[in-house]
């Protein structure tokens, strides 16, 4: 009996550990502009669903009063718009690509659904559709959560699995191209001095192009990371990453892999993938540089031309 209980505990512990590990896997992080498009689509879908099927007692509204039902769709859109703006504007440390996981996406979706329940309840009171009490509030919250939470979780899990599998396979191809270029001992381009300047007076740095490891943006600044005498050094400049990209545009191996990164392909040790896209592992630092999915074809073509 004790053996069966111990065996069940081991299975439970294994499943819990596996599920926890899965929830902590990276998940694609959408920029605010993409969320705006998603919010419009979701709101229109909900509005159409409510108009066609009229669930939850909405059948009391005739065709001539459809504007009341449309009001729910408008409230949902405004709620999503407002919550996304607040989250991205004031909680940047949480809403960042580096920290975004499957659990983050699910928790944020549930949070937004709960807030939608509050705003829809407020709207229902305003149009005198529900009495102003706890029972009515819980009823509307249950409508919102029960109708949305399971489809959203399924979509999140399916999307994560699909993108992880696809990006991992494509990353293997890119990694193979990278190692072929190294095995062929091909020269990307002769090394030259690059002079970086910032927007502030006397901000200047001259580097050998081969010594640059990566450049990353930090709000209104960009940071240059380079290797000097087996040491990794950093310097911050005031200015945009686009300005830095213009400075290095004559060197194809200094590749704009992401909206926040320019990376020296000579410093890349390997390429792998996850649900967010591709990841470049460097040979001189523990920093992992992301590659946007839109940049994948450009990276593949570049690796082919330098082999």
């Amino acid at each position: 009996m004790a053996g069966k209980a111990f065996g069940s505990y081991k299975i439970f512990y294994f499943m819990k550990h596996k599920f926890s590990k899965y929830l902590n896997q990276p998940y694609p992080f959408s920029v605010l502009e993409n969320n705006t498009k998603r919010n419009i689509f979701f709101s229109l879908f909900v509005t159409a669903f409510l108009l066609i099927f009229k669930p939850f007692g909405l059948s009391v509204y005739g065709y001539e009063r459809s504007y009341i039902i449309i009001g729910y769709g408008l409230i949902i859109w405004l709620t999503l718009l407002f919550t996304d703006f607040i989250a991205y504007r004031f909680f940047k440390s949480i809403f960042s690509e580096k920290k975004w996981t499957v659990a983050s996406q699910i928790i944020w979706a549930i949070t937004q659904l709960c807030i939608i329940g509050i705003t829809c309840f407020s709207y229902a009171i305003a149009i005198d559709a529900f009495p102003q009490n706890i029972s009515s509030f819980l009823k509307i919250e249950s409508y919102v959560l029960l109708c949305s939470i399971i489809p959203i979780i399924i979509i999140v899990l399916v999307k994560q699995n699909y993108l992880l599998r696809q990006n991992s396979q494509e990353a293997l191809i890119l990694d193979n191209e990278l190692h072929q270029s190294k095995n062929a001992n091909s020269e990307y381009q002769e090394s030259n001095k690059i002079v970086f300047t910032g927007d502030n007076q006397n901000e200047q740095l001259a580097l050998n192009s081969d010594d640059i490891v990566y450049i990353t943006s930090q709000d209104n600044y960009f940071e240059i990371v380079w290797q000097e005498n087996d040491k990794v050094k950093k310097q911050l400049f005031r200015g945009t990453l686009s300005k830095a990209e213009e400075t290095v545009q004559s060197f194809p191996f200094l590749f704009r892999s992401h909206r926040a990164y320019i990376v020296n392909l000579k410093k890349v040790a390997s390429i792998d993938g996850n649900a967010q896209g591709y990841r470049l592992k460097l040979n001189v630092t523990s920093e992992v540089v992301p590659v946007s999915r839109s940049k994948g074809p450009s990276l593949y073509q570049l690796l082919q031309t330098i082999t």
Side-chain angles (χ1 to χ4, degrees), residues 6-20:
F6 180 72
S8 299
Y9 173 77
K10 284 180 68 177
I11 293 173
F12 172 76
Y13 180 80
F14 172 77
M15 294 299 293
K16 180 181 177 182
H17 175 73
K18 190 172 182 180
F19 186 64
S20 176

Side-chain angles (χ1 to χ4, degrees), residues 189 192-199 203-207 209 212 215 222 224 237-252 254 256 262:
Q189 184 171 331
N192 276 307
K193 288 286 184 182
I194 302 178
V195 178
F196 294 93
T197 58
D199 292 343
E203 277 190 328
Q204 192 173 89
L205 176 66
L207 290 173
S209 60
I212 298 170
I215 308 170
F222 64 88
I224 302 172
F237 287 85
R238 183 171 182 83
T240 64
L241 192 63
S242 296
K243 179 178 180 179
E245 186 180 18
E246 291 176 4
T247 304
V248 304
Q249 63 183 347
S250 300
F251 301 87
L254 296 174
R256 178 76 177 266
I262 296 171

Side-chain angles (χ1 to χ4, degrees), residues 106-138:
I106 292 174
I107 291 171
W108 178 232
I110 293 173
T111 301
Q112 286 190 301
L113 289 176
C114 290
I115 297 173
I116 285 172
I118 294 171
T119 54
C120 283
F121 175 64
S122 301
Y123 175 71
I125 291 175
I127 62 174
D128 201 25
F130 277 87
Q132 190 175 346
N133 54 47
I134 294 295
S135 176
S136 298
F137 170 71
L138 293 177

Side-chain angles (χ1 to χ4, degrees), residues 83 122 129 211 287:
T83 53
S122 301
D211 293 336
E287 181 79 7

Side-chain angles (χ1 to χ4, degrees), residues 8 60 116 124 136 144 151 161 166 175 184 202 208 214 233 267 269:
S8 299
V60 298
I116 285 172
S136 298
V144 174
N161 275 291
Q166 184 182 49
D175 189 62
N202 299 324
N208 188 309
Y214 65 89
K233 296 188 175 183
K267 304 293 186 182

Side-chain angles (χ1 to χ4, degrees), residues 50-72 120 123-131 140:
L50 295 178
L51 285 171
I52 294 171
F53 296 101
K54 294 186 177 180
F56 316 130
L58 293 176
S59 56
V60 298
Y61 299 110
Y63 174 79
E64 70 282 356
R65 301 181 70 191
S66 295
Y67 62 88
I68 294 178
I69 299 176
I70 294 173
Y72 281 104
C120 283
Y123 175 71
I125 291 175
I127 62 174
D128 201 25
F130 277 87
I140 289 182

